Amino acid sequence: MKKILIIDDDTFICELLKKHLQNNKYSAETAFNGRGALKLFKENNFDLVLCDFRLPDTSGLELMQQLKSIKQSVPVIIMTAYADVRMAVKLMKLGASDYITKPIQQEELLGLIKKLLKKPEPLAARKSRKTVYSNGDFIIGDSPKIKYAINLARKVAPTDMSVIVSGETGIGKEYIARFIHENSLRKDKPFLAIDCGAIPKELANSELFGHIKGSFTGAISDKIGVFQKADGGTLFLDEIGNLSYDVQLKLLRAIQERVVSRLGDDKQKSIDIRIIAATNEDLNVEVKENNFREDLYHRLNEFKIALPPLRERPEDINVFMRHFIDAANKELNRNINGITPEAESVILKYPWYGNLRELKNVMKRAVLMAEGEQIDTDCFPYEILHPETDHTQTQTVTAQEINTNSKLKHASSEIEKKLIIETIQEAGYNKSKAAKILNIDRKTLYNKIKLYDIKL
């Protein structure tokens, strides 16, 4: 028997609705304010909530958000006077399942309740039953290329071999690293991830290996590096190609000798650690151009896993799309239950150079923009609807803007930010390539990305 919670400060209405629902084979409980409703909700497993818009100690919006923080999936029907209908519609956009106006027509209410309680299971669960692993934004589809990569990860996981995970930005390299760790003998030990591209060159040594107080200007206390913090477990070094040559040398020694020493400290500390490195660059090319140590490359490259970009596995785009819709529904308190065929066609045709990260951002925006229960094409930004036009414009701008490095130097901050974003997109989200196009080093590029809070 489905259980319904009725919340209204009018005791007569509560008892009337309770009796009517019980007569129609529903179990019902009543609460006359927000505090009492929360107490009942925590103590019982309700299938649906019927809530008045105005309560003596809270609002329908605040109470709905509190209820959904406890059980996100529970449908909430807002009861409101006619004058509040516009507000009720806004509440639906913020997570309410539907609304009904007072005086309540009992048959209308019963029909609404039946509709909501018969609601199909979430899209992600419905569409991704064949998923074998799910962790946050990373789920596995059915494409042969991703299945091959996951099979490699499974094979190497129980070993202590160092692994290089390669692939474009936003494809989910850290999730593969976590998958390897969680399927290894080290799964009960720490997993630490560090973005080597985001560490300023002068602090990389300290971040990785630690320092003692007074070892350099600003070292006001002792610090333990990530190598020691991850002792016994797995250390994931993302964008490893961005480490300076001298830090690469110390990294090589740490991996080979299994000991580390903090900056300014003569004592050595033994470590037991597994390294998983990731890159969106071709490290072979970086080795040939003397940007990456060949001996370190071979030491890390005991096993390699290449992740295919999203555009090369179109059969999985639909799975991720629906997964991100469900995730955005929860985060934004929306109730989008589908996508129109026209909008789905746009998603499947777009090349997704930003991979999962870009798809997630687009679907989150679409869920927010949707007016009805489905996402339509008008929920997408211009560049998604017109990728070829947008790419052509990007090429034109970058060709005009970066003939010399002085263009970037003398550009205003707004133009500079736009130019950096467009150049990174033109370079296929390869930051090293983008830095070369802009005639700046990678460190400068990363600093500017951080300065302008550029999300890629």
Side-chain angles (χ1 to χ4, degrees):
M1 184 180 289
K2 299 293 185 181
K3 197 168 188 176
I4 297 173
L5 175 60
I6 306 165
I7 311 167
D8 198 309
D9 60 341
D10 188 324
T11 56
F12 175 75
I13 289 178
C14 279
E15 290 305 317
L16 187 68
L17 291 174
K18 179 178 179 179
K19 185 175 181 180
H20 181 62
L21 291 172
Q22 288 174 338
N23 288 339
N24 284 275
K25 302 191 177 359
Y26 291 106
S27 172
E29 297 285 345
T30 59
F32 310 123
N33 53 48
R35 186 182 305 166
L38 279 172
K39 184 175 185 296
L40 273 174
F41 194 78
K42 290 175 181 177
E43 295 171 351
N44 298 270
N45 185 25
F46 289 104
D47 298 290
L48 183 140
V49 175
L50 190 58
C51 181
D52 190 25
F53 177 58
R54 300 187 187 278
L55 294 168
D57 58 346
T58 187
S59 70
L61 172 60
E62 290 176 355
L63 182 57
M64 179 184 70
Q65 291 174 333
Q66 289 174 306
L67 296 176
K68 284 189 168 286
S69 70
I70 299 169
K71 184 180 179 182
Q72 173 66 36
S73 61
V74 67
V76 178
I77 300 174
I78 299 295
M79 297 184 290
T80 177
Y82 182 78
D84 291 326
V85 168
R86 291 180 66 185
M87 180 57 68
V89 172
K90 289 182 180 179
L91 284 170
M92 287 178 63
K93 290 183 178 180
L94 294 169
S97 302
D98 216 319
Y99 71 94
I100 191 166
T101 58
K102 294 179 178 180
I104 293 172
Q105 301 296 317
Q106 294 182 347
E107 292 309 312
E108 180 187 358
L109 176 61
L110 281 178
L112 192 54
I113 290 172
K114 287 178 182 177
K115 181 187 79 171
L116 291 173
L117 291 179
K118 284 183 179 179
K119 207 166 192 179
E121 63 186 316
L123 289 167
R126 203 164 65 236
K127 292 291 181 178
S128 58
R129 295 189 183 277
K130 295 181 182 179
T131 297
V132 292
Y133 177 72
S134 178
N135 184 353
D137 296 337
F138 189 82
I139 55 178
I140 298 168
D142 289 323
S143 66
K145 288 184 177 181
I146 195 63
K147 281 186 173 181
Y148 177 71
I150 295 301
N151 186 48
L152 291 178
R154 275 206 188 89
K155 286 182 179 295
V156 77
T159 75
D160 264 343
M161 296 173 72
S162 296
V163 181
I164 291 180
V165 182
S166 64
E168 295 179 3
T169 296
I171 198 59
K173 296 186 286 293
E174 182 175 340
Y175 292 104
I176 289 294
R178 288 185 182 276
F179 178 88
I180 293 171
H181 174 74
E182 290 168 9
N183 287 273
S184 74
L185 301 178
R186 299 174 180 266
K187 62 183 178 181
D188 297 324
K189 299 294 184 179
F191 174 91
L192 265 68
I194 186 165
D195 185 352
C196 299
I199 310 173
K201 181 180 178 181
E202 60 273 13
L203 295 180
N205 211 322
S206 171
E207 288 293 324
L208 292 174
F209 308 109
H211 65 253
I212 62 173
K213 182 179 178 180
S215 56
F216 59 89
T217 303
I220 59 176
S221 61
D222 290 355
K223 175 175 179 167
I224 297 176
V226 292
F227 265 77
Q228 283 184 253
K229 290 180 181 178
D231 191 24
T234 303
L235 179 60
F236 174 62
L237 300 174
D238 196 8
E239 301 214 35
I240 194 169
N242 290 284
L243 292 177
S244 65
Y245 219 67
D246 57 328
V247 174
Q248 290 177 31
L249 176 59
K250 191 166 182 179
L251 175 61
L252 175 65
R253 288 175 179 167
I255 296 173
Q256 286 181 334
E257 299 170 15
R258 300 291 172 177
V259 293
V260 293
S261 59
R262 292 186 293 176
L263 197 62
D265 192 356
D266 293 332
K267 297 178 182 177
Q268 291 188 325
K269 179 83 173 178
S270 297
I271 54 165
D272 172 23
I273 200 170
R274 182 187 198 170
I275 300 290
I276 301 177
T279 177
N280 61 1
E281 305 165 346
D282 187 339
L283 287 183
N284 274 313
V285 173
E286 295 298 303
V287 168
K288 291 175 183 176
E289 294 180 356
N290 293 319
N291 293 324
F292 198 82
R293 294 185 63 94
E294 184 175 7
D295 45 6
L296 176 58
Y297 171 70
H298 291 305
R299 185 64 188 83
L300 292 170
N301 194 32
E302 292 183 328
F303 198 88
K304 189 171 184 178
I305 300 174
L307 294 183
L310 197 54
R311 61 186 172 277
E312 291 183 8
R313 34 190 290 225
E315 58 267 66
D316 291 337
I317 292 177
N318 213 296
V319 174
F320 280 100
M321 173 184 70
R322 296 180 187 277
H323 170 73
F324 290 140
I325 290 175
D326 280 344
N329 272 333
K330 291 178 182 178
E331 183 178 348
L332 303 174
N333 286 321
R334 299 303 310 275
N335 195 31
I336 304 304
N337 60 20
I339 181 168
T340 66
E342 295 79 12
E344 186 170 346
S345 176
V346 169
I347 293 296
L348 294 175
K349 289 178 181 177
Y350 186 76
W352 300 112
Y353 291 110
N355 293 294
L356 300 180
R357 190 175 298 149
E358 185 181 16
L359 177 60
K360 178 186 178 184
N361 291 341
V362 168
M363 298 318 301
K364 183 176 178 180
R365 178 188 187 276
V367 167
L368 180 65
M369 295 294 291
E371 293 295 334
E373 292 187 346
Q374 289 197 320
I375 291 170
D376 205 348
T377 54
D378 59 0
C379 300
F380 299 141
Y382 179 87
E383 61 267 22
I384 301 298
L385 296 171
H386 307 280
E388 292 182 5
T389 303
D390 184 65
H391 183 59
T392 302
Q393 289 172 344
T394 299
Q395 286 181 320
T396 303
V397 171
T398 51
Q400 292 173 345
E401 293 287 336
I402 41 181
N403 289 327
T404 68
N405 58 4
S406 62
K407 290 288 185 183
L408 188 60
K409 273 184 190 175
H410 299 295
S412 70
S413 58
E414 186 176 342
I415 294 174
E416 186 179 68
K417 179 179 178 179
K418 181 183 178 185
L419 183 57
I420 289 170
I421 293 172
E422 290 173 337
T423 305
I424 291 172
Q425 290 173 340
E426 183 186 17
Y429 291 86
N430 184 319
K431 297 187 188 71
S432 292
K433 185 177 178 182
K436 289 176 183 176
I437 295 173
L438 291 165
N439 284 320
I440 58 176
D441 59 36
R442 284 181 298 191
K443 177 189 168 186
T444 302
L445 177 60
Y446 274 98
N447 287 341
K448 288 184 180 293
I449 289 172
K450 187 175 182 180
L451 174 67
Y452 294 129
D453 193 28
I454 296 172
K455 307 295 185 185
L456 299 168

